[in-house]
Amino acid sequence: MTPELQQLVETLIADGSVEGQQVRVKQSSLEDIARQKGIARGLIEVFGLSEDVIAGAIARCFGVAPMKIAAEIETAPRSVLTEQEILEFRALPVFQVGLELTVAFVDPPSRSLRLHLQKLSGCRVIPVVTTISDFEAAVRKYGGALDKLQRLQSTVDLAKLDIRARGAKGEPVVAGIESEATMTKLVDELLLRAAKSAASDIHIEPGEDELMIRFRIDGVLQRIVSLPLSSHTGIIAVIKARAGMDMFERTVPLDGRITLTFADRVFDVRISTLPLLYGEKMVLRLLSKTAMIMGLDNLGFSEGNLKKFRSLLSLPNGIVLVTGPTGSGKSTTLYAGLNEIKSIGRNITTVENPVEYKLPLINQVQVVPERGLTFAATLRALLRQDPNVILVGEIRDAETGIIATEAALTGHLVLSTLHTNDAIGAIPRLVNLGIESFWVSSSVIGVLAQRLVRRICERCKEQYEPDLQTLISSGLANLPKGTTFFKGKGCNFCNGVGYKGRIAIHEVLIVTEEMRDIIYGEVTTTKLRALALANKFRDMYFDGMQKALAGITTIEEIRRVAYRG
């Protein structure tokens, strides 16, 4: 018997649930079934024990809590384990708080299995035990574990249409794929593959000799297929028709939008075209409308940065800015913050374009500029609505910025985003927009800047030793000898790239009284940075390298996204 089975059987004998003589007679059958179907199933089939008796014995024997998970599984973290892993390990993630992942088991959770799941998830595993029936009911309801989207089958073999692959093999280029039916199927296949691979963008790019399709996955573009250039017009026409765009206008940029539904997932797709030398380039941005709001504990904050950001959210008034480039997770962070501070006793209103997530207990306004419902006009009306907290989707002009500062100075907490490279640069950026420096100095209380970096794939993670020059150029030359670094060698799960998923790196600037004096005078980035560093400010490069040292990401990834210079 395995140690876990032996220990559990001894507990059941002590409880009087089974007799020692029964175990000796049926030990061989028990071991065979346990090896094939699991310990809990083996005990049921061999001794006729009830599921509740077995779950209770596991709880007592191994010191884990019993839990009914089927009712809780709707909010379980997605994409932690694959379908094959869930069925093989008979383990299902239930919920995640920070870097702690609660996992439900139907069999005794062995130490080796817990360590393996910790490696796969990158989290500390907290085991609970449930019954087989409850586990199976939870698996049926768990859209993330047995993802219906992933089960949708492809209808077009892109490999057969890839002119680069066929050319490399000496095969003739596929001809005659330009029919309307084929173009429609091809567009459907590209959209499905993008959704299944969690791509944020699809790039359809005409060149001199080919139409290249690329997906942005985990922040990096990857070539998916190169089609004959003759297919360009048909693909663009199919997408334009679905979005109600002008199919005959190819000389000016156009925008459009469509909604997609795959299985139980709904996506909002924003479409943009741009006339290039060889024809229209089209970019489609996929936004999941069924995405869950994450908690601040799950966004990759270091303990220090999370404490600082939460302290800003707890203040009664002032402006808190979240900065970073497009696609860096600013809206996700702000929504997580709102979700944490919302309550029945506070009036929270957002002004957005568009509304990306729907939140209970929060009033959400979607601006419509062509009808006069601009950010500025909405903010003016909002100040007469007795707000406590206001979220402004973006401060993009002086008028919006001035109203936001007025709101902050009259006792409201204002949250917003800004496009700057770092936290310190947000202050002079507001002044450059045309907001008076004395208003900025009086209203801004803090700035969070962030980027998204790729996580090392936990399924192919391995240790390695960076060369000395890399350590020196990365500012890590003084690390103790033998410091461990990790990278992904590439596997099927991560499509050979060595990374799977992303995590944020942050820097948080708390505006002090000394900084207000500088801002009120002649504000410069140099002066602010010198004062911030004197107050122990840590930039996102530092935060990123801490995550690289922790084995979450790589030195190369941090340098790609936040190289300090």
Side-chain angles (χ1 to χ4, degrees):
M1 289 190 191
T2 64
E4 291 78 25
L5 179 55
Q6 180 70 45
Q7 193 174 344
L8 182 57
V9 166
E10 290 174 358
T11 299
L12 290 168
I13 292 172
D15 289 347
S17 300
V18 295
E19 296 178 359
Q21 180 63 27
Q22 280 184 297
V23 173
R24 285 188 289 274
V25 171
K26 299 183 177 181
Q27 180 174 336
S28 178
S29 297
L30 174 61
E31 289 177 347
D32 286 342
I33 297 174
R35 190 164 41 249
Q36 297 173 26
K37 301 180 181 180
I39 290 174
R41 182 69 70 183
L43 291 169
I44 290 172
E45 293 188 12
V46 173
F47 299 116
L49 298 177
S50 74
E51 295 183 8
D52 289 331
V53 167
I54 295 170
I58 292 173
R60 292 191 304 278
C61 183
F62 296 92
V64 296
M67 183 178 181
K68 294 293 185 182
I69 64 170
E72 307 289 338
I73 210 66
E74 299 292 347
T75 57
R78 294 171 179 262
S79 304
V80 176
L81 299 177
T82 66
E83 174 181 350
Q84 180 180 350
E85 289 163 346
I86 288 167
L87 299 179
E88 177 186 350
F89 304 140
R90 291 176 285 280
L92 189 60
V94 183
F95 51 81
Q96 182 177 347
V97 178
L99 293 178
E100 290 189 342
L101 179 69
T102 298
V103 180
F105 297 85
V106 295
D107 294 327
S110 68
R111 183 174 182 275
S112 60
L113 178 55
R114 293 202 309 271
L115 290 175
H116 184 59
L117 294 180
Q118 285 180 186
K119 179 184 176 184
L120 294 182
S121 65
C123 297
R124 176 171 172 257
V125 170
I126 308 297
V128 297
V129 64
T130 189
T131 63
I132 293 175
S133 298
D134 187 56
F135 178 84
E136 291 176 345
V139 167
R140 287 193 294 271
K141 291 172 64 177
Y142 184 37
L146 306 181
D147 198 336
K148 298 174 185 176
L149 174 61
Q150 297 300 329
R151 290 186 167 188
L152 293 179
Q153 297 297 312
S154 295
T155 57
V156 178
D157 187 350
L158 294 182
K160 291 184 178 179
L161 301 179
D162 193 333
I163 60 176
R164 288 196 192 182
R166 297 181 70 85
K169 296 176 183 177
E171 299 177 3
V173 174
V174 174
I177 68 169
E178 296 84 11
S179 70
E180 182 177 346
T182 304
M183 289 296 100
T184 299
K185 287 183 179 179
L186 190 51
V187 168
D188 289 339
E189 179 65 23
L190 291 174
L191 292 170
L192 174 61
R193 291 202 183 198
K196 291 173 72 171
S197 61
S200 61
D201 301 88
I202 303 172
H203 288 241
I204 302 172
E205 304 169 288
E208 186 174 4
D209 303 311
E210 67 179 25
L211 177 67
M212 184 165 63
I213 311 295
R214 295 193 290 174
F215 291 173
R216 187 175 294 280
I217 302 172
D218 290 336
V220 178
L221 283 169
Q222 300 178 20
R223 188 186 77 88
I224 302 302
V225 65
S226 294
L227 301 171
L229 192 58
S230 57
S231 63
H232 173 237
T233 303
I235 289 175
I236 298 295
V238 169
I239 298 172
K240 279 187 171 183
R242 293 183 182 181
M245 300 165 67
D246 190 339
M247 298 174 60
F248 302 102
E249 180 56 80
R250 304 184 180 95
T251 59
V252 297
L254 299 174
D255 293 307
R257 180 174 295 176
I258 58 176
T259 298
L260 295 177
T261 302
F262 290 120
D264 55 351
R265 301 280 296 281
V266 181
F267 296 86
D268 185 31
V269 183
R270 302 178 194 172
I271 303 166
S272 170
T273 68
L274 185 69
L276 301 183
L277 181 63
Y278 297 107
E280 277 183 293
K281 172 177 178 175
M282 179 175 281
V283 176
L284 298 88
R285 166 150 290 189
L286 279 69
L287 300 168
S288 178
K289 298 178 74 172
T290 49
M292 291 173 57
I293 304 293
M294 299 181 71
L296 288 177
D297 290 305
N298 305 126
L299 296 182
F301 279 97
S302 67
E303 185 178 348
N305 283 336
L306 181 56
K307 185 177 180 181
K308 289 178 183 176
F309 189 56
R310 278 187 165 136
S311 72
L312 293 172
L313 295 177
S314 68
L315 296 175
N317 58 274
I319 295 179
V320 178
L321 296 171
V322 178
T323 76
T326 301
S328 60
K330 299 187 296 296
S331 295
T332 299
T333 299
L334 282 174
Y335 274 106
L338 285 183
N339 202 37
E340 186 164 297
I341 66 174
K342 74 179 190 292
S343 71
I344 197 69
R346 307 179 86 174
N347 179 14
I348 301 176
T349 304
T350 72
V351 185
E352 308 167 72
N353 185 22
V355 172
E356 295 186 27
Y357 300 93
K358 296 178 182 178
L359 285 171
L361 290 180
I362 292 178
N363 307 295
Q364 296 175 269
V365 180
Q366 181 160 312
V367 301
V368 187
E370 56 270 23
R371 296 184 181 177
L373 191 63
T374 62
F375 277 104
T378 306
L379 275 175
R380 285 197 193 92
L382 180 55
L383 289 177
R384 299 189 293 271
Q385 290 278 310
D386 185 32
N388 297 110
V389 181
I390 301 170
L391 184 147
V392 185
E394 181 185 350
I395 296 178
R396 59 181 70 187
D397 53 48
E399 186 179 14
T400 304
I402 289 170
I403 300 171
T405 56
E406 288 177 344
L409 293 174
T410 53
H412 307 93
L413 181 62
V414 179
L415 311 178
S416 190
T417 68
L418 202 63
H419 289 284
T420 61
N421 290 325
D422 55 24
I424 292 170
I427 304 297
R429 171 64 176 153
L430 288 175
V431 175
N432 291 339
L433 279 176
I435 305 169
E436 294 289 347
S437 59
F438 66 86
W439 280 3
V440 175
S441 68
S442 302
S443 60
V444 178
I445 56 177
V447 185
L448 166 70
Q450 66 179 57
R451 297 282 193 285
L452 294 177
V453 297
R454 292 179 291 175
R455 284 178 174 269
I456 299 172
C457 175
E458 292 293 340
R459 287 159 176 79
C460 62
K461 189 176 184 177
E462 62 180 10
Q463 293 186 25
Y464 84 110
E465 187 174 337
D467 60 77
L468 180 59
Q469 186 54 47
T470 298
L471 292 175
I472 293 173
S473 60
S474 302
L476 301 174
N478 295 325
L479 286 174
K481 194 170 183 180
T483 300
T484 303
F485 288 90
F486 295 88
K487 66 178 180 180
K489 64 181 179 181
C491 64
N492 291 335
F493 186 71
C494 63
N495 294 321
V497 298
Y499 296 97
K500 187 69 175 180
R502 289 191 289 177
I503 190 172
I505 57 175
H506 306 92
E507 61 186 33
V508 183
L509 176 70
I510 304 293
V511 179
T512 64
E513 291 303 320
E514 293 175 289
M515 289 181 187
R516 296 191 193 284
D517 292 339
I518 293 176
I519 299 168
Y520 186 78
E522 188 177 347
V523 60
T524 66
T525 302
T526 304
K527 290 180 181 178
L528 284 174
R529 184 173 298 278
L531 185 54
L533 291 174
N535 290 330
K536 299 182 179 180
F537 170 76
R538 299 291 192 182
D539 62 16
M540 69 178 78
Y541 184 84
F542 176 87
D543 186 46
M545 285 302 171
Q546 291 289 101
K547 288 180 169 73
L549 288 168
I552 298 171
T553 186
T554 63
I555 296 173
E556 293 76 15
E557 182 68 2
I558 300 304
R559 292 182 61 177
R560 178 183 72 86
V561 172
Y563 186 46
R564 185 183 288 172

